[in-house]
């Protein structure tokens, strides 16, 4: 199909060969699972189990809370060891509420698990309710609750469902493998989602470095004439939602808007697979495929991992390290986050665990910017990274914002190509975080100011009342005595009498 | 300039195989053919001048770094001082005494670069600043060109004679020769017409190959072009600046030539002569002193082309490239301020794009 140009972008070494030929294997069930209650964007789920309770695979562990949230289910059968706090799958390493589950080794599905014989007979509302109940979130890493996205049809005139199979991050091959091995299931999930969205067009975008996945998906998609396969040029960040949609439709998503503004909804291939499992078999999202790769990994693999398995469990299964890695990353090398330790659990959004050597990371001491404009050419968003970084460095964050800081998607293309090795993304993350903090402070300040003004007004009212009372008393006293001297005396007394009162109020 | 890195380390955890050193190295590699050809054409004096210029540039850089208290290693190894010296050297008259190169290198490194704050901070191209300053201070030495006398050829000066030339001693009988640009200019001012001055097209050939009098590395248009294409292929530079510069120069020259062919030479004459191609590919593309956006680079390049033509044709100097570059360098901050790429999802003015068929259903 006809593709449109996107601006900028880079061609990193994709290093997919490390894991691309490894078929998906099941990770052996670890001795303990640590299942965080927040594996999605939105409100954390609320625990629904007690310590000591026995659960079957797929049983609800925690309930969705509020409009944007997702429930959490038991990845296997076993006993709940506790609901406590445990380090999160996040660079900060902070602890979050986590259910600890001891598998009983039976991996027995709950009896209540039941699929729908014909999902296409369901109404869109029923489908999205089931997707919500299955705890499905965007599995490309965004982890936005998928049902919320399916419900966009109520607010937008949607015409196209785009399936993001670009997998443009280097090293990662989990979507590639899933599309190759489970093409029929993925396509089924896609069709169910299309039914829920009521769209007439479906486009599956897959980069040209995955010819097998393109072929497999093309065969599977032949059941539905609405589906088209887009063979995308291999270029990072092709998988950025807004850029993918631009490549497919030629339209840019308005700044600060959603792709739904131009009638398109984007879902990930792994999400489609989860939807298929949820609708056909009634299985909630309890596992996902993860690529374990990097030159420091003995045997890079693609693993189907129960949620809550520790990173260490994955590393052990892949034979550990060949050498001490410089960086341990969750996700891809371009936009992934450093992992604080190997103890943290795998979550719904983790698509990769990378152990990278110093040679792979290629970090150098930064040099001054030589204004070579390579970053300008690389930026897919039309920004001038060198200027934004210069303003940030000078402390002029408003300047950086006026240059488009908030339009930066943090893709790292600029930093990837910078010959001076300036950590541009680091500057932008700092500036974005700082601006968010300032926004909060400003809000707090406005609130404080409002309270202070209220209080001042109250005080003023009290003073006014007192003054009036005093004046009244004086008038009465004057009326009683009617001597000219006393006016003078009371004139001196007046402020003296008021001062202690004012001080006490302050 | 120390770079503090705020906040936590962030990605990407991969990097293209690029460095400032590699960029500078590739530019030097691209300059090598024309430079070696210059060595061969103009012999030992040119070689001496070249090394005097480059070593002064590096020494000056080292001294400045020391005074500024900056680390020597990374900044000396980045190759920027060497490259600035190199570009200056190839733009000098090949038989100029060694101290011309040395003084020029000092001007380039100390005055034009380090005083501004060092690598990446200078407003003006260091080599062009030095070239202009030398031209004004030492007009004699800077306009004293010789006919090529290939190394080891019969009338070329020997090694010792060359040392004498480099030290500025009189004695060797060089065939001094005006550059094509100044020759044509002088003759035109004496009332001759172009068809009398350049009766055949031979000058185009010698200008392209480089068998004419001229600066050390500027004579061979073809070898410079080769280096420029190499830089384009290696993506060290983009086409915008050189194409805009050569294009605007060519268009102006063609128009004037059509208007009066006897007094205004055509496009090819301007392209092969003087420093046109060297400037288009190696100097106007200097990252530090040229704009960063594509549109900005096109404006910058076109401005250079127009100025080169205007100075060559109507101003007091036969060759105008250095002045043109400095004038456009001064415009760079303004160009960069006003000409920015369009941000994704926004129109040119920065407001979010609105489509007539916006899909949101406003209730
Ligand atoms: S790529 Fe790096 S050195 Fe080049 S302009 Fe951008 S920030 Fe400066
Ligand atoms: S990180 Fe931001 S500035 Fe850099 S290339 Fe990506 S979008 Fe552009």
């Amino acid at each position: 199909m006809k593709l449109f140009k996107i601006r900028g972008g880079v061609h990193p070494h994709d290093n997919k060969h490390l894991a691309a030929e490894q078929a998906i294997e099941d990770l052996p069930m670890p001795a303990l699972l640590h299942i965080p209650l927040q594996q999605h964007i939105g409100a954390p789920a609320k625990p629904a189990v007690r310590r000591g309770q026995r659960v079957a695979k797929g049983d609800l562990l925690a309930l969705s809370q509020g409009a944007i949230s997702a429930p959490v289910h038991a990845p296997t059968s076993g006993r709940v060891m506790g609901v406590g706090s445990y380090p999160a799958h996040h660079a900060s390493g902070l602890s979050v509420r986590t259910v600890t589950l001891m598998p009983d080794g039976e991996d027995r599905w709950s009896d209540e698990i039941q699929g729908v014989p014909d999902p296409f007979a369901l109404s869109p509302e029923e489908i999205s309710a089931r997707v919500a109940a299955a705890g499905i979130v965007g599995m490309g890493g965004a982890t936005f609750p998928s049902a919320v996205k399916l419900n966009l049809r109520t607010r937008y005139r949607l015409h196209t469902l785009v399936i993001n199979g670009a997998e443009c991050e280097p090293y990662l091959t989990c979507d590639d493998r899933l599309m190759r091995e489970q093409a029929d299931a993925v396509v089924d999930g896609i069709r169910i989602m299309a039914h829920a969205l009521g769209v007439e067009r479906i486009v599956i975008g897959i980069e040209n470095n995955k010819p097998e996945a393109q072929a497999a998906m093309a065969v599977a998609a032949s059941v539905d004439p609405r589906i088209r396969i887009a063979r995308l040029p291999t270029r990072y960040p092709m998988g950025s939602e807004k850029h993918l949609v631009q490549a497919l439709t030629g339209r840019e998503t308005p700044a600060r808007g959603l792709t739904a503004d131009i009638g398109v909804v984007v879902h990930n291939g792994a999400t489609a697979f989860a939807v298929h499992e949820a609708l056909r078999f009634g299985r909630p999202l309890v596992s996902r495929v993860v690529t374990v790769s990097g030159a420091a990994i003995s045997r890079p693999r693609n693993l189907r991992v129960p949620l809550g398995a520790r990173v260490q469990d994955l590393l052990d299964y892949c034979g550990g390290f060949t050498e001490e890695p410089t960086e341990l990353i969750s996700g891809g090398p371009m936009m992934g986050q450093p992992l604080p330790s190997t103890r943290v659990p795998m979550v719904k959004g983790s698509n990769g665990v990378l152990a990278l050597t110093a040679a792979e990371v290629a970090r150098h001491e930064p040099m001054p910017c030589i204004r070579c404009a390579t970053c300008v050419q690389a930026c897919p968003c039309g920004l001038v990274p060198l200027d934004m970084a210069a303003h940030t460095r000078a402390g002029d964050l408003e300047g950086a914002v006026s240059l488009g800081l908030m339009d930066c998607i943090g893709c790292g293309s600029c930093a990837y190509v910078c010959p001076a090795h300036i950590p541009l993304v680091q500057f932008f993350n700092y500036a974005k975080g700082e601006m968010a903090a300032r926004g909060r402070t400003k809000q707090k300040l406005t609130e404080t100011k409002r309270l202070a003004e209220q209080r001042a007004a109250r005080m003023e009212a009290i003073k006014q009342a007192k003054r009036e009372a005093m004046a009244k008393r004086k008038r009465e006293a004057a009326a009683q005595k009617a001597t000219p001297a006393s006016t003078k005396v009371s004139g001196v007394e007046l402020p003296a009498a008021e001062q202690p009162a004012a001080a006490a109020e302050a | 300039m120390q770079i503090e890195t705020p906040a936590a380390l962030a990605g990407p955890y991969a990097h293209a195989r690029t460095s400032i050193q590699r960029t500078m190295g590739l530019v030097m590699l691209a300059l090598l053919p024309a430079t070696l050809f210059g060595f061969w054409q103009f012999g030992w004096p040119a070689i001496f001048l070249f090394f005097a210029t480059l070593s002064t540039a590096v020494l000056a850089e080292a001294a400045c770094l020391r005074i500024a208290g900056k680390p020597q290693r990374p900044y000396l190894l980045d190759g920027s001082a060497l490259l600035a010296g190199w570009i200056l050297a190839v733009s000098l008259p090949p038989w100029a005494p060694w101290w011309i190169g040395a003084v020029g290198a000092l001007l380039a490194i100390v005055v034009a670069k380090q005083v501004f704050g060092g690598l990446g901070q200078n407003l003006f191209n260091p080599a062009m600043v030095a070239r202009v300053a030398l031209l004004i201070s030492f007009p004699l030495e800077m306009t004293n060109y010789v006919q090529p006398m290939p190394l080891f050829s019969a009338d070329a000066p020997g090694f010792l004679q060359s040392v004498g030339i480099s030290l500025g001693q009189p004695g060797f009988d060089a065939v001094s020769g005006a550059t094509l640009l100044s020759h044509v200019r002088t003759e035109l001012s004496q009332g001759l017409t172009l068809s009398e001055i350049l009766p055949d097209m031979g000058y185009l050939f010698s200008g392209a190959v480089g068998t004419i009098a001229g600066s050390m590395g500027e004579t061979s248009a073809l070898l410079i072009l080769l280096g420029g294409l190499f830089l384009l292929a290696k993506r060290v530079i983009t086409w915008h600046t050189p194409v805009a510069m050569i294009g605007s120069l060519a268009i102006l020259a063609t128009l004037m030539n059509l208007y009066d062919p006897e007094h205004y030479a055509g496009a090819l004459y301007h392209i092969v002569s003087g420093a046109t191609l060297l400037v288009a590919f190696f100097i106007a593309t200097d990252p530090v002193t040229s704009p960063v956006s594509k549109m900005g680079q096109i404006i910058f390049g076109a401005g250079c082309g127009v100025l080169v033509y205007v100075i060559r044709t109507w101003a007091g100097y036969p060759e105008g490239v250095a002045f043109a570059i400095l004038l456009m360098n001064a415009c760079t901050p303004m160009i960069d301020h006003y000409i920015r790429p369009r941000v994704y999802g926004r129109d040119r003015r920065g407001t979010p794009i609105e489509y007539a068929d916006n899909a949101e259903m406003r209730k």
Side-chain angles (χ1 to χ4, degrees), chain A residues 375 378-381 383 385 388 407-415 425 428:
Chain A
C375 54
C379 179
C381 295
L383 301 170
M388 297 199 306
D407 290 311
C408 162
I409 57 170
C411 69
S413 300
C414 52
V425 177
F428 305 154

Side-chain angles (χ1 to χ4, degrees), chain B residues 44-129:
Chain B
W44 291 112
I47 299 176
F48 296 155
L49 178 65
F50 183 81
F51 285 103
T53 313
L54 267 66
S55 46
T56 313
V58 173
L59 287 177
E61 176 97 344
C64 289
L65 289 172
R66 189 174 195 117
I67 293 167
K70 289 186 196 168
Q72 305 259 341
R73 250 183 82 86
Y75 287 98
L76 280 181
L77 288 182
D78 69 23
S80 59
L82 204 59
L83 180 59
W86 192 320
I87 290 187
L88 172 64
V90 294
S91 75
L92 294 176
W95 281 24
W98 70 272
W99 54 265
I100 282 280
V103 171
L106 280 176
L107 287 167
I109 299 297
V110 181
V111 179
K113 181 178 171 190
Q114 293 292 347
V115 165
F116 281 85
L119 181 62
Q121 301 294 302
N122 46 300
L123 184 58
F124 298 101
N125 180 291
M128 291 301 101
V129 170

Side-chain angles (χ1 to χ4, degrees), chain A residues 238-452:
Chain A
M238 193 50 91
S240 146
E241 194 169 283
K242 293 178 175 180
H243 291 90
L244 177 61
V245 169
Q246 190 193 1
L248 297 175
T249 67
R251 275 195 167 186
E252 291 184 5
T253 306
R256 320 232 60 68
L258 303 174
T259 57
D261 283 321
I262 49 175
V264 182
V265 170
V266 184
H267 280 284
N268 174 272
T271 311
F273 179 78
V275 168
H276 159 85
E277 292 276 297
L279 270 291
R280 294 281 178 187
F281 308 107
R283 295 178 191 150
L285 177 59
V286 292
S287 69
R288 70 156 297 141
V289 183
V290 179
T291 302
V292 185
S293 189
I297 296 282
S298 298
R299 293 189 297 274
R301 288 194 162 142
N302 298 294
L303 302 176
R304 179 159 282 284
V305 173
L307 301 177
R310 293 174 312 150
V311 168
Q312 187 64 51
D313 298 324
L314 279 65
L315 295 176
D316 289 344
Y317 187 68
C318 295
F321 297 141
T322 51
E323 62 180 279
E324 195 54 37
T326 323
E327 299 283 353
L328 193 64
I329 305 289
S330 168
M334 298 298 287
M335 286 184 79
Q337 298 288 326
L339 283 168
S341 87
T342 58
R343 282 175 66 206
V344 301
M346 299 304 292
V347 289
K348 292 174 181 175
S350 25
N351 48 7
V353 169
L354 304 182
L356 304 175
T357 61
E360 288 175 292
V361 176
R363 205 177 278 280
H364 286 278
E365 270 307 300
M367 292 284 285
C369 170
I370 54 166
R371 297 176 32 87
C372 66
T374 327
C375 54
V376 183
Q377 291 160 33
C379 179
C381 295
L383 301 170
V384 183
L386 69 148
D387 280 355
M388 297 199 306
H391 278 85
T392 306
R393 191 205 312 271
D396 175 17
L397 300 190
E398 280 81 13
V401 169
S402 72
L403 290 173
L405 180 72
M406 296 308 172
D407 290 311
C408 162
I409 57 170
C411 69
S413 300
C414 52
Y416 175 80
V417 291
C418 175
H421 288 257
I422 298 172
L424 295 161
V425 177
Q426 208 162 310
F427 278 104
F428 305 154
N429 285 352
Y430 161 79
K432 287 175 190 168
E434 189 63 25
M435 285 313 288
R438 279 191 199 174
R440 285 193 296 273
T441 318
K442 204 170 146 204
Q443 220 175 3
K444 221 185 275 172
L445 276 179
T446 339
E447 185 60 15
T448 318
K449 201 169 147 216
R450 195 178 60 82
L451 290 177

Side-chain angles (χ1 to χ4, degrees), chain A residues 199-217:
Chain A
V199 295
E200 59 267 23
R201 261 164 45 102
I202 305 169
V203 185
I204 306 175
I206 306 174
E207 278 192 353
N208 285 334
N209 59 357
K210 293 178 270 294
E212 294 92 344
Q214 286 176 340
M217 290 295 284

Side-chain angles (χ1 to χ4, degrees), chain A residues 7 155 157 242 252 333 407, chain B residues 13 342 344-346 355 359:
Chain A
R7 269 187 298 175
R155 285 181 43 222
R157 283 186 302 273
K242 293 178 175 180
E252 291 184 5
D407 290 311
Chain B
Y13 299 93
R342 185 183 59 77
Y344 179 101
R346 295 181 184 275
Y355 295 105

